[in-house]
Amino acid sequence: MTDTLIVGGGTAGCVLAARLSEDPNHTVRLLEAGPLWTTPDAIPAALRDATRLPLAADASWLWHYPVRLTDRGGTTNIVRGKVFGGSSAVNGSYFVRATGADFAAWAAAVESSRCWSSDAVLPAYRRSENDRDFGAQPWHGQSGPIPVRRTANPAPVSAEFAAACAVEGFPAVADMNAPDGTGDGVGLVPCNTEAGRRVSTAACYLLPVAARPNLAVHGSVSVVRILFRGTDAVGVEVLRDGRVETFSADRIVLSAGAIESAAILQRSGIGPAEHLRALDIPIVHPAPVGGWCTDHPEIGLEYRLSVPECAAVPLEYVLTIDDIEIRPYTVPFTPGQWRLGVALMRPESAGVLRLRSADPAVPPAIEYRYLAAEHDRTRLRAAVATATEIIRKMGATACTDPMPGPPHAADDWLHANLATSQHLSGTCRMGPANDDRAVVDELCRVHGVDGLSVVDLSVVPVPLSRGPQATTVMIAENVAGFPVR
Ligand SMILES: Cc1cc2nc3c(=O)[nH]c(=O)nc-3n(C[C@H](O)[C@H](O)[C@H](O)COP(=O)(O)OP(=O)(O)OC[C@H]3O[C@@H](n4cnc5c(N)ncnc54)[C@H](O)[C@@H]3O)c2cc1C
């Protein structure tokens, strides 16, 4: 019998498998839908190159999901990594911690500061990293698996952006991951890269320990549902090479990401009762799975600037202004044009995720409901105005049609230019048992059943003011130190 079975060898799953298997008396089994490459050098070059996003439409290492961004619009597509390392294996390598204010809100949401206050999570952030610029500090680690560094020679487009921000009077932030580095200003982005290579959690946590005798790692295995005896989770049903198999374990942990962890729970009978009944899914425990989720709505402003292109991580600098990030991407999305991403980091509008079918091959319906709140539209209008001024100060030529002045017309413009940062979280919210939006408790155990936890970005109960990758790693590091059941 396996002690802990982890579903999903993604960003969080690789961290958890590596940490839990440090105890030779604890057996761990890790199941991942994507392929397994057993050494870092065997990972395809496109996944290793940190200067490009490996998101080709036909890439075998991606999940694709149609989503609706607003109640007005049609569908657009988002992706996730389907490979060991998960989305950390395909992402932009931005590795920035959430802020003190985020953790104050998180601790308030769970009505406890025991596990998720700033002070409580700092050791887990420190354990994860080897900060190559700042070394060991009270707030930085130097011996963790993830190399973290800021660029020493910014690309010309990044340098022009930073100079324009200085002209606009924004202060420079020396270390975005320091406790005093979370205020407004422009800072170099900490990245999880090594010599131009993307360092996923598979590369730096899992592969170095994959040969441990108490750790079993399986690729190309898709988990269909969790198996219960009463309300005790006792195993999983999987598809491997087109055949149905089962694995049993003492404790099951879902680390399949905010989309698939919620979908697996619902398929297994843990979700909104009426909805599950409509899909003929037997109910194990009614729960608000997928009833709330959040992400970072983003507007892209294209511009021309005659500076040379050069190999760089997609984002070297970021300007933060309260709940806004302005991102000067170094990778052109349209030939001959650069892009400023303008993202709202703490939107009030929230989305929902629901199964469309009990068939695992049918992706769930994801409704973002972006721009529903007047607050979000007001903040984005202001942010676009600031970003437009920065483009002007850079001496660049704007290519995107300008946002009209009148708020109503400006809102139409926001709808027309809207995208998402692909940071979905919160589908299995953390909170106390009496919170009617909560799915897991503060130790990440699913309410109402035994032997089942969710450990990934699904559990975060508040919008995060920064990109979520570093915080996903922190969640797994933190939970690895919690009592086993
Ligand atoms: C293109 C892109 C760029 C991004 N850039 C950044 C960035 O630069 N910085 C940042 O902070 N954030 C970024 N993000 C977001 C960030 O990478 C993710 O939010 C974070 O990595 C999520 O981690 P996770 O562990 O929750 O899920 P994932 O890392 O997605 O892991 C889930 C894993 O579970 C596996 N899985 C799913 N279902 C099953 C199943 N049924 N059976 C078995 N296995 C299953 C998946 O294949 C995957 O490996 C980006 C995201 C994307 C998509």
Side-chain angles (χ1 to χ4, degrees):
M1 171 78 98
T2 303
D3 291 319
T4 301
L5 183 151
I6 302 170
V7 177
T11 311
C14 286
V15 175
L16 199 61
R19 287 306 188 198
L20 292 182
S21 62
E22 281 172 358
D23 173 358
N25 296 317
H26 191 92
T27 52
V28 177
R29 189 182 295 280
L30 178 62
L31 306 180
E32 163 58 39
L36 175 63
W37 293 291
T38 47
T39 62
D41 286 341
I43 297 171
L47 291 176
R48 281 181 279 145
D49 181 0
T51 69
R52 288 282 177 270
L53 291 171
L55 306 180
D58 59 349
S60 62
W61 47 73
L62 294 177
W63 300 83
H64 294 268
Y65 301 97
V67 299
R68 284 187 79 207
L69 294 183
T70 71
D71 289 345
R72 279 197 208 175
T75 55
T76 183
N77 285 300
I78 62 168
V79 296
R80 289 290 178 277
K82 185 179 187 176
V83 56
F84 278 90
S87 298
S88 78
V90 302
N91 74 13
S93 309
Y94 157 125
F95 198 81
V96 184
R97 299 177 185 180
T99 67
D102 293 340
F103 289 110
W106 187 332
V110 301
E111 296 178 9
S112 160
S113 57
R114 198 164 55 122
C115 305
W116 303 100
S117 65
S118 277
D119 287 347
V121 302
L122 180 60
Y125 273 130
R126 288 188 76 237
R127 258 196 318 277
S128 74
E129 71 173 6
N130 178 350
D131 192 295
R132 297 290 165 83
D133 299 317
F134 290 93
Q137 303 282 342
W139 61 92
H140 274 310
Q142 200 177 23
S143 48
I146 300 190
V148 180
R149 50 164 52 79
R150 297 116 190 111
T151 189
N153 296 302
V157 70
S158 308
E160 293 289 340
F161 173 83
C165 290
V167 172
E168 281 290 276
F170 291 108
V173 176
D175 176 8
M176 292 190 68
N177 280 340
D180 62 359
T182 60
D184 291 356
V186 63
L188 283 166
V189 173
C191 291
N192 48 309
T193 58
E194 183 83 75
R197 286 180 166 202
R198 178 181 289 107
V199 181
S200 72
T201 57
C204 66
Y205 273 93
L206 183 72
L207 294 183
V209 304
R212 281 178 184 156
N214 58 326
L215 173 61
V217 178
H218 308 259
S220 305
V221 172
S222 285
V223 172
V224 177
R225 62 178 61 82
I226 302 151
L227 302 172
F228 288 94
R229 191 177 304 125
T231 53
D232 279 357
V234 294
V236 294
E237 180 184 299
V238 309
L239 274 177
R240 175 155 57 172
D241 295 331
R243 284 195 309 274
V244 176
E245 295 179 32
T246 59
F247 289 95
S248 53
D250 202 31
R251 174 203 192 197
I252 314 287
V253 179
L254 292 181
S255 296
I259 299 173
E260 295 297 333
S261 287
I264 294 170
L265 280 180
Q266 293 188 23
R267 276 204 300 275
S268 310
I270 299 180
E274 240 172 74
H275 185 66
L276 299 190
R277 262 186 227 111
L279 295 175
D280 284 332
I281 296 173
I283 295 167
V284 173
H285 181 72
V289 175
W292 179 91
C293 56
T294 187
D295 197 329
H296 299 140
E298 179 166 344
I299 304 281
L301 296 179
E302 312 285 330
Y303 61 95
R304 282 188 204 283
L305 183 70
S306 50
V307 286
E309 237 185 270
C310 63
V313 288
L315 193 58
E316 294 179 313
Y317 275 106
V318 69
L319 170 64
T320 58
I321 312 165
D322 188 12
D323 56 353
I324 298 294
E325 275 194 359
I326 300 183
R327 308 173 182 158
Y329 292 114
T330 62
V331 184
F333 291 78
T334 309
Q337 298 184 6
W338 303 101
R339 176 181 292 179
L340 281 194
V342 183
L344 178 61
M345 305 306 281
R346 294 193 301 276
E348 284 183 356
S349 313
V352 292
L353 178 152
R354 292 274 181 275
L355 281 191
R356 270 192 287 232
S357 160
D359 178 352
V362 178
I366 302 169
E367 305 264 348
Y368 273 95
R369 300 182 182 167
Y370 277 164
L371 303 181
E374 172 56 33
H375 165 272
D376 297 355
R377 300 192 297 272
T378 305
R379 291 296 299 147
L380 272 172
R381 289 197 302 265
V384 168
T386 303
T388 303
E389 189 51 30
I390 291 171
I391 289 175
R392 212 175 62 79
K393 285 281 179 350
M394 289 170 78
T397 307
C399 301
T400 304
D401 286 343
M403 182 178 69
H408 192 69
D411 286 351
D412 288 345
W413 183 96
L414 289 178
H415 276 91
N417 288 281
L418 191 64
T420 177
S421 300
Q422 309 221 47
H423 295 164
L424 192 78
S425 64
T427 50
C428 310
R429 265 177 81 111
M430 186 184 292
N434 62 1
D435 175 350
D436 58 13
R437 293 193 295 177
V439 175
V440 301
D441 69 10
E442 66 173 328
L443 300 181
C444 292
R445 300 171 303 191
V446 176
H447 287 302
V449 297
D450 281 322
L452 179 62
S453 305
V454 181
V455 180
D456 59 26
L457 200 56
S458 316
V459 302
V460 181
V462 296
L464 295 174
S465 302
R466 302 288 184 265
Q469 176 180 225
T471 299
T472 310
V473 171
M474 176 281 289
I475 291 169
E477 280 277 7
N478 206 17
V479 174
F482 291 172
V484 166
R485 286 185 78 118

